[in-house]
Structures are given as structure tokens and as C-alpha cells.
């Protein structure tokens, strides 16, 4: 298993896909640096991982703040001496029709879903370039592959991540820095994303959809582990994942 001994940063680690991925990678022998805004949840997760003989530390991080991302990467490097993987997983999904004009929520999605990814890349890229290795993994969405009514701005942020990651992969190959990328496009996965929806009709429809089709975030965690486990000369750059029963 190539995961063993690798240093992995996970943002959005306090719940959902981030939490599930942390637990799985810890079992595979990774050294984890867990990042999120909610310190109490990070403490609990680190304690659980250590109780199961895993290795993890945490760093309270707001991905919308450039300095927080820089400090996170510096902390990881100081703690473990290197960084092999960064999983940029933090995101929100307060979906609504454009006509609802929830402009504040649009800006929050842009700040977290796009700028949060950019800030993470900016923080870790100098190190990855210097060491001529590294792996950037992001959580996009099936809404980053096709258009869904009610998800215009959310989808736009996830389309942006898709393009950003594809260009990062191409440029790293051209520049000879050997940086691997993987973008994950989940469909209905049980996380806290639904909790961010304030539009009543959208929340009602999405809740019904997830109740009927949603699957465990463990399923996505296994894909992250698969991507990391590939040999250094293999880059599997995109994964679309969702419930077998969901016609996404």
C-alpha cells in the first residue's frame, strides 16, 4: 500500500467525506493533518483515530483565508517533515433558484468552493514544485459536470474546480513537477451539505432525493484512498461516484 507513511492534509475534515477519508487513510497508515473551522469536532476525530492506533494532528483552518492555508501547510511540514497529499474537500451547497437572489450565499460558495481550493493550492504548490512530487485531490460534484436547476451558482463553483484541476494536471506535466491530481464528482452522498440550504423548496426537494438515494461518505473515502494508492507514475484524474439507484 503506497498510502502507508504518506503525509496527507484534509480540509473540511470535521464531518462527511473528510471525516470518513481521515478514518480510512489512518487505518492504511497515513499521517494526517486535519483541517476545519470546528475545533471540537477536530479534537474528537483526532482522539478517535489515535485510539484506533492511527496518527493524526489537527489545525483549525478557515479555507477562505489565505494566511490560514499558508499556516496549515507550514504546520504540516513542521510536524511531519514533508507533505505528500492535500485533499481540498471543504465546501458548502446552499442551493436555490437564481430568482431567489440569495447573493450572500452565492458569495459564500465562491469564497469556500473556489477560493478555498485556490488558497490551498497556492499554499502547497511551492513545496510540491520544490520536491517534484505531490498529489492534489479535490471534491467537485456531479453539478460540476452537468447543469441542474436550483444549483446554478453551486454548479458554477464546481465547474470552476474541474477546469482548475485539469489545467493544474496539464501544467505540472509540462513543467516536469510530477504533481498528480484527482477530482471527485459525487452525487447524493450523506454529508452536512443539505444543512446549508436555506431555500425551503430546494431543501425539500434535495432532502427527498438524498433520503431516497443517498449513500455513505465511506464510498467516496475509498476512492480517495484508491487515487493515493496508485504508483507515482500513474495519475487517475477524475472519478464520478454516486448511488447506483440515482439517475443523476
Amino acid at each position: 500500500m503506497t498510502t502507508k507513511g504518506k503525509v496527507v492534509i484534509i480540509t473540511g475534515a470535521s464531518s462527511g467525506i473528510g471525516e470518513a477519508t481521515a478514518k480510512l487513510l489512518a487505518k492504511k497508515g497515513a499521517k494526517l493533518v486535519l483541517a476545519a473551522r470546528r475545533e471540537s469536532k477536530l479534537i474528537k476525530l483526532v482522539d478517535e483515530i489515535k485510539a484506533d492506533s492511527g496518527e493524526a494532528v489537527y489545525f483549525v483552518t478557515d479555507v477562505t483565508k489565505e494566511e490560514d492555508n499558508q499556516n496549515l501547510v507550514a504546520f504540516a511540514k513542521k510536524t511531519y517533515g514533508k507533505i505528500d497529499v492535500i485533499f481540498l474537500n471543504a465546501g458548502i451547497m446552499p442551493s436555490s433558484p437564481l430568482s431567489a437572489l440569495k447573493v450572500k450565499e452565492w458569495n459564500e460558495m465562491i469564497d469556500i468552493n473556489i477560493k478555498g481550493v485556490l488558497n490551498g493550492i497556492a499554499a502547497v504548490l511551492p513545496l510540491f514544485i520544490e520536491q517534484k512530487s505531490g498529489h492534489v485531490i479535490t471534491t467537485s460534484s456531479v453539478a460540476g459536470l452537468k447543469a441542474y436547476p436550483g444549483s446554478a451558482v453551486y454548479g458554477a463553483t464546481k465547474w470552476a474546480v474541474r477546469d482548475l484541476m485539469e489545467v493544474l494536471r496539464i501544467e505540472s506535466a509540462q513543467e516536469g513537477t510530477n504533481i498528480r491530481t484527482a477530482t471527485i464528482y459525487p452525487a447524493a452522498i450523506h454529508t452536512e451539505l443539505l444543512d446549508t440550504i436555506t431555500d425551503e423548496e430546494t431543501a425539500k426537494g434535495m432532502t427527498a432525493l438524498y433520503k431516497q438515494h443517498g449513500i455513505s461518505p465511506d464510498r467516496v473515502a475509498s476512492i480517495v484512498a484508491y487515487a493515493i494508492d496508485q504508483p507515482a507514475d500513474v495519475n487517475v484524474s477524475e472519478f464520478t461516484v454516486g448511488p447506483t439507484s440515482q439517475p443523476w
Side-chain angles (χ1 to χ4, degrees), residues 92-93 95 109 113-114 140-148 150-162:
I92 58 172
M93 190 183 70
S95 298
M109 280 188 279
N113 297 357
I114 300 179
S140 179
S141 167
V142 290
L145 297 171
K146 58 174 69 176
Y148 293 95
S151 294
V153 180
Y154 176 72
T157 66
K158 295 304 186 177
W159 278 86
V161 169
R162 179 190 187 192

Side-chain angles (χ1 to χ4, degrees), residues 104-181:
K104 182 180 178 181
E105 293 181 355
W106 300 352
N107 286 319
E108 288 173 347
M109 280 188 279
I110 290 167
D111 286 345
I112 295 174
N113 297 357
I114 300 179
K115 291 182 181 178
V117 171
L118 284 169
N119 287 337
I121 290 173
V124 82
L125 202 55
L127 176 62
F128 283 179
I129 291 172
E130 179 185 358
Q131 64 193 25
K132 289 191 178 298
S133 67
H135 202 169
V136 180
I137 304 175
T138 58
T139 304
S140 179
S141 167
V142 290
L145 297 171
K146 58 174 69 176
Y148 293 95
S151 294
V153 180
Y154 176 72
T157 66
K158 295 304 186 177
W159 278 86
V161 169
R162 179 190 187 192
D163 182 77
L164 174 64
M165 290 291 286
E166 182 66 357
V167 174
L168 175 61
R169 179 189 65 80
I170 295 169
E171 289 182 350
S172 67
Q174 290 175 333
E175 294 166 3
T177 51
N178 304 313
I179 299 168
R180 298 194 293 168
T181 69

Side-chain angles (χ1 to χ4, degrees), residues 30-228:
K31 299 176 181 179
L32 302 172
V33 181
L34 308 180
R37 290 179 292 188
R38 297 176 292 183
E39 185 172 21
S40 61
K41 287 185 173 289
L42 290 173
I43 291 172
K44 182 175 181 292
L45 179 56
V46 167
D47 288 345
E48 289 176 359
I49 288 171
K50 288 182 176 180
D52 197 30
S53 301
E55 188 167 353
V57 294
Y58 77 88
F59 193 86
V60 176
T61 306
D62 181 343
V63 297
T64 69
K65 297 178 179 179
E66 184 178 351
E67 185 178 6
D68 277 18
N69 289 269
Q70 297 287 341
N71 290 338
L72 168 64
V73 167
F75 172 76
K77 180 72 161 49
K78 181 178 180 181
T79 302
Y80 291 121
K82 64 171 184 171
I83 301 168
D84 298 294
V85 182
I86 189 166
F87 180 25
L88 301 171
N89 170 69
I92 58 172
M93 190 183 70
S95 298
S96 63
L98 286 170
S99 57
L101 294 175
K102 292 183 177 288
V103 178
K104 182 180 178 181
E105 293 181 355
W106 300 352
N107 286 319
E108 288 173 347
M109 280 188 279
I110 290 167
D111 286 345
I112 295 174
N113 297 357
I114 300 179
K115 291 182 181 178
V117 171
L118 284 169
N119 287 337
I121 290 173
V124 82
L125 202 55
L127 176 62
F128 283 179
I129 291 172
E130 179 185 358
Q131 64 193 25
K132 289 191 178 298
S133 67
H135 202 169
V136 180
I137 304 175
T138 58
T139 304
S140 179
S141 167
V142 290
L145 297 171
K146 58 174 69 176
Y148 293 95
S151 294
V153 180
Y154 176 72
T157 66
K158 295 304 186 177
W159 278 86
V161 169
R162 179 190 187 192
D163 182 77
L164 174 64
M165 290 291 286
E166 182 66 357
V167 174
L168 175 61
R169 179 189 65 80
I170 295 169
E171 289 182 350
S172 67
Q174 290 175 333
E175 294 166 3
T177 51
N178 304 313
I179 299 168
R180 298 194 293 168
T181 69
T183 308
I184 303 171
Y185 306 97
I189 311 296
H190 288 306
T191 68
E192 294 182 352
L193 284 180
L194 297 186
D195 298 342
T196 66
I197 301 175
T198 62
D199 184 78
E200 290 185 9
E201 285 301 310
T202 302
K204 182 178 178 181
M206 293 293 282
T207 298
L209 173 70
Y210 276 62
K211 184 176 181 181
Q212 180 179 2
H213 298 293
I215 56 176
S216 168
D218 295 347
R219 308 300 192 260
V220 181
S222 66
I223 291 171
V224 177
Y226 175 83
I228 295 172

